[in-house]
Amino acid sequence: MKRETVKMMPSWALALALSMSTTRNARARDAKNPYPNMAPLENYLMDRDAEIALARSAAPSSISHDATVVILGKNGYETAVEGKNGFICIVERGWMNSFNSPEFWSPKTRGAECFNPPAALKVVPYTYFRTKLVLVGKSKAEIKQSIKIAMGKKKNCLLSRPGRSAT
């Protein structure tokens, strides 16, 4: 009986080493990609007033005071404050990062931007479009493909007027 136990010890040691290696690899993978999927939408939403203030912080008050401010709602970006100067202030989420970014699905990633009138016409519709794809549950691969198709059709990507609901 002792002989059988001694013979089994190398197998147990190998099994233990493999399980520890697998756990370490999983942790290393998680460290490289801590947000592999989209979190529940509620994790990306902010208090309305806090989001307006953060969006306006992207530009001097002489600009942001009269800018349109859009905030993320359950169905996409929506106008919270109508502006008069053609600027649009917005808080973008992690999904506006590079597709390779480990922060792509991070609900903590928020970037305040205030776009001048020409950028508001060109860039903001792209933000609305990409956000719409995210909110309908598309994967990164599906988002890339949808953008490629929209660009191929030369849609001004993008489907909605700046400052209006992008749903």
Side-chain angles (χ1 to χ4, degrees):
M1 179 113 159
K2 286 184 182 179
R3 209 191 256 158
E4 289 175 20
T5 302
V6 170
K7 286 181 181 178
M8 293 294 290
M9 286 180 119
S11 296
W12 292 338
L14 180 60
L16 179 62
L18 285 173
S19 71
M20 289 174 66
S21 170
T22 303
T23 303
R24 189 172 344 134
N25 286 342
R27 272 185 276 167
R29 230 177 318 163
D30 289 346
K32 289 180 186 173
N33 190 12
Y35 307 100
N37 300 307
M38 184 175 177
L41 178 59
E42 292 72 32
N43 295 3
Y44 298 93
L45 300 177
M46 295 178 65
D47 170 77
R48 177 185 174 84
D49 293 336
E51 187 160 356
I52 291 169
L54 181 57
R56 283 190 164 150
S57 75
S61 61
S62 59
I63 292 171
S64 64
H65 181 267
D66 290 325
T68 295
V69 179
V70 295
I71 61 172
L72 184 64
K74 291 186 182 219
N75 298 309
Y77 281 100
E78 53 197 48
T79 300
V81 178
E82 280 291 343
K84 300 180 237 166
N85 63 5
F87 282 76
I88 295 180
C89 297
I90 187 171
V91 178
E92 292 182 340
R93 301 317 198 265
W95 55 74
M96 293 308 295
N97 282 322
S98 159
F99 286 100
N100 299 333
S101 171
E103 299 293 314
F104 187 88
W105 292 120
S106 171
K108 298 175 186 175
T109 301
R110 297 182 173 135
E113 302 278 350
C114 202
F115 295 101
N116 65 23
L121 293 173
K122 298 282 185 183
V123 178
V124 175
Y126 177 77
T127 301
Y128 290 168
F129 182 68
R130 193 157 162 170
T131 298
K132 184 175 182 178
L133 296 171
V134 165
L135 296 182
V136 297
K138 301 263 186 200
S139 68
K140 284 185 189 181
E142 292 170 322
I143 294 168
K144 284 183 194 178
Q145 185 62 28
S146 295
I147 291 168
K148 185 177 178 180
I149 290 168
M151 296 297 224
K153 290 180 179 177
K154 297 189 180 177
K155 285 187 176 179
N156 182 13
C157 227
L158 297 164
L159 312 179
S160 109
R161 238 171 83 206
R164 303 288 177 240
S165 176
T167 56

